[in-house]
Amino acid sequence: MILAFGAVPALAAEPEDNASDKSRYWLFNPTPENLMRDLTTDRPDMTESPFTVDAGHVQFETNIFGYTRSRADQDGTISKSYDYATTNIRIGLTNSTELNVVVAPYGVVRTKPLDPVLATRSSGLGGVDLRMKINLWGNDTFEKPGATALGLLPFITLPTDRNNGIGPTGVEGGFILPFAMKLSEKWSLGLNGGFHIVRNDDASGTHTEWLSSAAVSYDWTENLSTYYEVAGRFGTRDPRGDIGILATGVTYKLSRNVQLDGGVNFGVTRAADKINPFVGISARF
C-alpha cells in the first residue's frame, strides 16, 4: 500500500525574513513542512493541473480500482477492462519542477465478440509513463479569485510487454499544456490542450491525436470538493469518429496529506467508452 512509504525528512523552519523564498529548495534539500503548498492532485479528473509537488517531497496518486465498458465497435465487439493500482509517483525536484513515473502494475481486458467462441482475455503489466511537469507561474500564488497558473507537461510512454494486449506495442509520447484559474473563493477552472503520438492498431507506424479538456471544481468545505468535466480526443482514426466524454467526481481530504476520491466518466460519442467508474487515493510525504 502506498501509505507504507516513509516520509521524506523536512528541514527545520527557516527564519522569518527568508521563509517566503523557496527557490533554494530541491530534491535533496526539501521544502520545510510549514512552507509546503496545500495538497493538489492530478487525479481524479482527466484535466492535468499546472501545480507541482514541493521540492524534496513525493506524492503517490493511485487508482485503486477502475472499470471500463466500451461500446460495440464496427464488428459488434464489446470490451470490459479492469484497472488495479495504477499509480502516478510524483517527485518534487525543485520548487517548480517535478518528475512523474506512472506505473500500471496489473490490468485485465475481456473482449466479447458477437460469436462467443472468439471471446478473449488479456492481462498483465501496462506501459510506464515518464513525465516532466514544469510550472511557469502560479504555484505559490493561486489563492485569490482571478489568480492563474500555467505549466508544461511533456511525456513519453515505454512498453513493458508488447504482446499482452494491455500496454502499448511501442514507444509513444506527447505534450500537454495545463492551465488553471481561480474563478471565486469556491470555484476553480482547469483547461488542457495537447497532443499524443499513438501507435497504429496494425503497428505499421504512428499517428497524432489531439487532446482537450475543461474541468470546473467547487469546494463545498475545506475538505470536500466536486468536479464536472468535458474532454475530447480527436484524430483517433476510429471509423466511429472522435471521442467525447462527460465526467464528474468527488474528492475528500482525510488530512493535510491524504485525499480520497471517486468518479465516473460517461462516453457521449460512438467511439468513446460507455462508462468508467473508479475510486482512488493520494498521499504526500
Side-chain angles (χ1 to χ4, degrees):
M1 296 292 292
I2 62 172
L3 296 181
F5 287 87
V8 177
L11 298 182
E14 295 292 321
E16 186 69 24
D17 59 349
N18 61 2
S20 61
D21 180 11
K22 297 168 62 177
S23 62
R24 69 173 66 86
Y25 303 115
W26 64 298
L27 181 61
F28 297 110
N29 181 24
T31 303
E33 184 175 354
N34 66 305
L35 296 182
M36 291 173 62
R37 296 182 280 273
D38 289 340
L39 178 69
T40 60
T41 62
D42 283 340
R43 61 169 298 114
D45 58 11
M46 294 169 282
T47 302
E48 307 285 354
S49 81
F51 308 107
T52 62
V53 174
D54 282 287
H57 295 267
V58 181
Q59 191 162 302
F60 298 86
E61 302 184 4
T62 298
N63 199 53
I64 298 173
F65 174 75
Y67 165 78
T68 303
R69 184 186 187 283
S70 75
R71 284 186 168 83
D73 63 14
Q74 295 294 99
D75 299 321
T77 299
I78 293 174
S79 66
K80 297 179 181 180
S81 61
Y82 305 85
D83 170 33
Y84 301 94
T86 296
T87 301
N88 182 7
I89 305 168
R90 302 173 58 188
I91 304 167
L93 303 180
T94 71
N95 189 53
S96 60
T97 61
E98 71 176 39
L99 173 67
N100 298 172
V101 181
V102 184
V103 294
Y106 188 69
V108 177
V109 176
R110 298 177 183 270
T111 63
K112 184 180 179 182
L114 294 176
D115 183 351
V117 176
L118 302 178
T120 64
R121 180 186 184 278
S122 302
S123 63
L125 179 68
V128 175
D129 287 357
L130 300 178
R131 317 192 318 177
M132 178 68 71
K133 185 188 289 189
I134 304 166
N135 177 266
L136 299 182
W137 74 74
N139 247 354
D140 295 295
T141 58
F142 198 76
E143 296 178 357
K144 297 181 179 180
T148 61
L150 183 68
L152 307 175
L153 184 57
F155 64 91
I156 186 171
T157 301
L158 304 177
T160 55
D161 186 340
R162 299 172 187 265
N163 302 310
N164 67 358
I166 302 295
T169 59
V171 176
E172 299 180 349
F175 174 82
I176 297 172
L177 188 70
F179 174 81
M181 173 178 285
K182 193 166 183 64
L183 302 176
S184 69
E185 294 293 339
K186 296 288 188 178
W187 289 97
S188 297
L189 169 69
L191 299 173
N192 277 185
F195 64 89
H196 188 185
I197 301 173
V198 180
R199 288 279 168 178
N200 296 331
D201 290 339
D202 60 6
S204 62
T206 62
H207 66 278
T208 300
E209 299 181 359
W210 301 94
L211 317 172
S212 65
S213 66
V216 291
S217 62
Y218 183 80
D219 298 330
W220 296 92
T221 68
E222 289 186 359
N223 298 327
L224 178 66
S225 299
T226 53
Y227 72 88
Y228 315 91
E229 183 176 35
V230 58
R233 181 179 283 260
F234 310 95
T236 62
R237 294 192 176 182
D238 190 315
R240 296 170 295 175
D242 295 321
I243 293 173
I245 298 172
L246 296 178
T248 187
V250 60
T251 63
Y252 185 80
K253 289 183 179 179
L254 294 178
S255 68
R256 187 185 182 199
N257 296 312
V258 179
Q259 177 177 282
L260 298 176
D261 65 62
V264 59
N265 303 329
F266 300 96
V268 294
T269 61
R270 292 177 58 204
D273 290 325
K274 188 173 184 179
I275 192 168
N276 168 218
F278 55 86
V279 292
I281 186 171
S282 299
R284 178 175 63 177
F285 302 93

